[in-house]
Amino acid sequence: CDTHVHTVTHSGHGDCTIEERMATLAGEGIEFPIATDHNKQIDYRPIAATVGVTSYFTPVIGNEVTTKHGHFNVFPAVAGGRTPDHNELDWEKLLTDIYSTPNVRVAILNHARDLHSSFRPFSPRHHLSLTGDNLDGWQQNFNAMELINSGAVQTDIMELFTDWCGLINHGLRVTPVGCSDSHDVSRYIVGQGRTYIQADDDDPGSINSDAALDAFLNGRVIVSYGLLVKLEVRSSTDLANSHGPGDTFSVKQNATDGQSTMLEVTAKVLAPHWSHPRKVQLF
C-alpha cells in the first residue's frame, strides 16, 4: 500500500498526470493505492480501466485534507462527495468533521516534522516527543501516522519513529505508515516508502478493501523503506503461538521462583539480492 499518492492533474503540482500515475502504480507493484490529492476525492478506477491496468491494483478514494495546522490523509471517501473543512484549524473539530465524512475510517497525520504554512505539528513548541503530549491541549484523534515519507525524508530518519513511540507511550493506538507522497513520475518514486498490510492479495485487482482496512486499523502492517522485516515473538511458556504486528500480549512473572518469562524473537529480513542487511535493532 502507498497511502500518499498525488497527480498533477488534480493536485496541480509535480509532473505525473493521472494516466501516468496508473502506469507507475502498476509498475511499482502498489496493489492498494490511496488517491490523496489535496482537498479532493478522486476515483482512479475509470482511468485505470482506460489505461488497462485494473488487474494490477485496487484503488481507494482518499483525500489529503490540507490545512494550515497540518495535513491529514483520510480514506475511504466518496468521489465527488462532501469533503472535510480544510479551513478548520482546531484539531478536535477538524477530526470530528473528518470522521463524519461519508465512509471515512482512517485519518493519518502526515509528515509531522515538516513545515507548511509556518506550522510544524511536532515541533518542540507544539509537541513533546518523549511522552506524546500535545502542548496546545489538542486531542490527537488521528489513528495513523507517517513514520516514513520518502518524499519528505528527515535528516534523522528515526525522528518520526521516536515521535510515534511517544504516542504509544502516551497510550494512543496509532498505526505506523510508510508512504511516498509522490507527485512525480520519477523524481520522487511512488511506493519507495510503503506499507505492507496483512491481507489477501491473490487477486490485486479485487482486494477486499474493508478487510484490508480492518487489518490496517488493527496495526497489522509492516513499514518499509526498501527492506521488509517479518517479526514474530513467542513466550517460553507458549511456544506454539506466535505474535506479530498489531498484536499485544502480556508477559507475567513466575510467582513461584520470581523468574520472568523468556521471549523468543524471530526476525526474517527480506531484501533485494544486491542488499546485505547485517544488523537488527529491537525496541
Side-chain angles (χ1 to χ4, degrees):
C1 179
D2 191 340
T3 62
H4 202 154
V5 180
H6 292 278
T7 67
V8 66
T9 306
H10 295 288
S11 282
H13 55 111
D15 63 22
C16 190
T17 66
I18 192 167
E19 291 83 6
E20 289 173 317
R21 178 56 72 214
M22 300 304 101
T24 60
L25 290 169
E28 293 296 336
I30 304 302
E31 299 172 331
F32 199 62
I34 315 297
T36 55
D37 284 303
H38 295 284
N39 302 316
K40 295 179 180 178
Q41 293 164 185
I42 306 301
D43 188 354
Y44 282 171
R45 289 174 296 182
I47 304 299
T50 300
V51 176
V53 293
T54 55
S55 64
Y56 290 94
F57 55 81
T58 300
V60 176
I61 301 166
N63 177 352
E64 182 169 17
V65 181
T66 307
T67 82
K68 291 184 177 180
H69 278 178
H71 298 185
F72 297 85
N73 279 344
V74 308
F75 55 91
V78 177
R82 183 179 75 81
T83 60
D85 181 7
H86 64 273
N87 294 309
E88 179 59 64
L89 301 181
D90 181 276
W91 277 13
E92 183 174 358
K93 293 179 181 178
L94 174 64
L95 285 159
T96 297
D97 189 27
I98 285 172
Y99 291 126
S100 67
T101 302
N103 292 3
V104 169
R105 301 175 60 193
V106 177
I108 302 173
L109 175 62
N110 297 346
H111 38 60
R113 288 280 179 170
D114 278 22
L115 185 69
H116 290 97
S117 302
S118 302
F119 184 84
R120 193 188 316 271
F122 277 9
S123 74
R125 180 178 179 180
H126 299 287
H127 186 80
L128 189 58
S129 177
L130 182 65
T131 62
D133 284 290
N134 181 281
L135 300 179
D136 298 310
W138 295 347
Q139 291 191 29
Q140 301 179 104
N141 291 338
F142 47 87
N143 51 23
M145 173 187 163
E146 292 181 353
L147 271 61
I148 287 290
N149 181 316
S150 57
V153 180
Q154 301 298 302
T155 302
D156 176 4
I157 201 168
M158 297 297 286
E159 188 170 41
L160 287 167
F161 170 76
T162 303
D163 293 336
W164 176 75
C165 289
L167 296 176
I168 301 304
N169 290 339
H170 196 76
L172 301 176
R173 187 174 180 90
V174 179
T175 297
V177 170
C179 66
S180 71
D181 199 357
S182 174
H183 294 75
D184 310 287
V185 173
S186 61
R187 186 168 69 112
Y188 295 109
I189 299 171
V190 72
Q192 186 174 18
R194 64 180 69 189
T195 303
Y196 290 88
I197 302 174
Q198 182 180 310
D200 180 358
D201 64 347
D202 284 345
D203 181 359
S206 299
I207 291 173
N208 184 322
S209 296
D210 288 337
L213 292 175
D214 286 345
F216 179 91
L217 289 170
N218 284 316
R220 296 191 177 97
V221 302
I222 301 172
V223 174
S224 175
Y225 196 20
L227 305 182
L228 176 64
V229 182
K230 290 186 172 182
L231 194 72
E232 290 187 345
V233 181
R234 296 176 176 84
S235 71
S236 57
T237 58
D238 186 16
L239 291 175
N241 293 311
S242 64
H243 305 270
D247 293 337
T248 302
F249 74 104
S250 299
V251 179
K252 297 180 179 180
Q253 190 177 56
N254 190 312
T256 57
D257 58 15
Q259 296 297 313
S260 296
T261 301
M262 299 296 291
L263 296 181
E264 179 184 280
V265 179
T266 303
K268 182 178 182 181
V269 183
L270 306 180
H273 69 88
W274 41 261
S275 180
H276 303 284
R278 292 183 175 86
K279 182 169 68 172
V280 172
Q281 285 181 281
L282 296 177
F283 293 82

